[in-house]
Amino acid sequence: QMQLVESGGGVVQPGRSLRLSCAASGFTFSTYGMHWVRQAPGKGLEWLAVIWYDGSNKYHADSVKGRFTISRDNSRNTLYLQMNSLRAEDTAVYYCAREPKAALINWYFDLWGRGSLVTVSS
Amino acid sequence: EIVLTQSPGTLSLSPGERATLSCRASQSVGSSYLAWYQLKPGQAPRLLIYGASSRATGTPDRFSGSGSGTDFTLTISRLEPEDFAVYYCQQYGSSPITFGQGTRLEIK
């Protein structure tokens, strides 16, 4: 059964850092591009970052560029999101999501995790 | 950036009725690169439609997508109890990819 499971969320003070993880199982993780998407309370979905299947390319949304970094460890079947200099407006549920086709970036998502809640508050 | 506007914000219907959800783009979505997702609290979001009208694997055939250019529609022909959720459209034809603000489909 294909699955993505996020972890690492919690309550963090403004200005601090947090790293989210996304564990993949049931498919060949190393052949799929991966994304992070978030949803702030009462808001819609916001795309954050993409990483190619082999880690060769990565892009971040302007809203998080320079503060957040996407990465992956294909030997551990795990995707990461390093979040630095966190702000109150980063409070959201963070989802990892998979590209629909191996070795391609189509920019939509056919498999999602259940999300991990990050709350930035003093 | 392409802005997607979904309407209505909330749709109240009864099981067995037909639901029509709209997604309008501020500029043309290239190659009909539009997807629809279903979100339920505490669950993983689910891809329903991609390429404006192609059903994703496992999407029941009561769900259909249509449209091109700037106007897109998700239709649920006969609502089942499990269809009551929030639906989002997403365009992936232009960078940055963007989502609509969502339509909440609630039981009347």
Side-chain angles (χ1 to χ4, degrees):
Chain A
Q1 177 186 359
M2 298 182 296
Q3 194 173 12
L4 297 171
V5 179
E6 301 91 341
S7 61
V11 180
V12 61
Q13 293 179 329
R16 304 297 289 262
S17 298
L18 203 62
R19 188 179 79 161
L20 300 181
S21 300
C22 169
S25 60
F27 65 97
T28 307
F29 176 73
S30 61
T31 65
Y32 285 85
M34 296 294 297
H35 300 256
W36 285 100
V37 177
R38 71 182 176 184
Q39 183 173 31
K43 303 287 187 179
L45 297 166
E46 178 187 16
W47 172 81
L48 296 178
V50 61
I51 187 167
W52 262 234
Y53 68 98
D54 57 0
S56 60
N57 287 291
K58 55 183 76 171
Y59 296 98
H60 299 80
D62 287 345
S63 60
V64 302
K65 197 175 295 182
R67 297 190 302 124
F68 291 11
T69 303
I70 190 172
S71 63
R72 65 191 297 158
D73 185 342
N74 285 344
S75 68
R76 296 178 182 268
N77 291 334
T78 303
L79 177 73
Y80 301 101
L81 184 67
Q82 177 67 43
M83 303 184 293
N84 298 332
S85 303
L86 283 161
R87 307 166 180 165
E89 54 264 36
D90 295 318
T91 294
V93 175
Y94 286 74
Y95 297 98
C96 60
R98 189 189 77 170
E99 279 280 335
K101 297 178 183 176
L104 294 175
I105 299 295
N106 291 281
W107 297 94
Y108 67 98
F109 324 109
D110 76 329
L111 180 68
W112 298 63
R114 290 176 178 246
S116 182
L117 176 62
V118 173
T119 303
V120 184
S121 174
S122 54
Chain B
E1 171 175 320
I2 294 180
V3 176
L4 299 178
T5 302
Q6 293 187 240
S7 60
T10 301
L11 186 57
S12 299
L13 294 170
S14 301
E17 291 193 291
R18 181 185 185 91
T20 303
L21 287 66
S22 173
C23 177
R24 178 162 291 179
S26 60
Q27 51 190 286
S28 183
V29 176
S31 302
S32 294
Y33 285 158
L34 190 109
W36 290 92
Y37 301 91
Q38 178 190 68
L39 271 72
K40 295 181 179 179
Q43 295 188 20
R46 177 187 179 190
L47 172 68
L48 298 173
I49 300 287
Y50 64 95
S53 60
S54 297
R55 274 187 290 272
T57 301
T59 300
D61 59 8
R62 64 180 180 274
F63 289 88
S64 63
S66 63
S68 64
T70 60
D71 288 297
F72 299 88
T73 301
L74 175 69
T75 302
I76 311 171
S77 58
R78 288 174 57 181
L79 286 165
E80 297 287 342
E82 61 268 27
D83 298 337
F84 292 91
V86 181
Y87 292 85
Y88 289 90
C89 58
Q90 176 226 338
Q91 68 80 22
Y92 52 100
S94 175
S95 178
I97 57 174
T98 51
F99 292 87
Q101 84 281 14
T103 289
R104 178 178 302 278
L105 179 55
E106 64 177 27
I107 299 178
K108 186 174 181 180

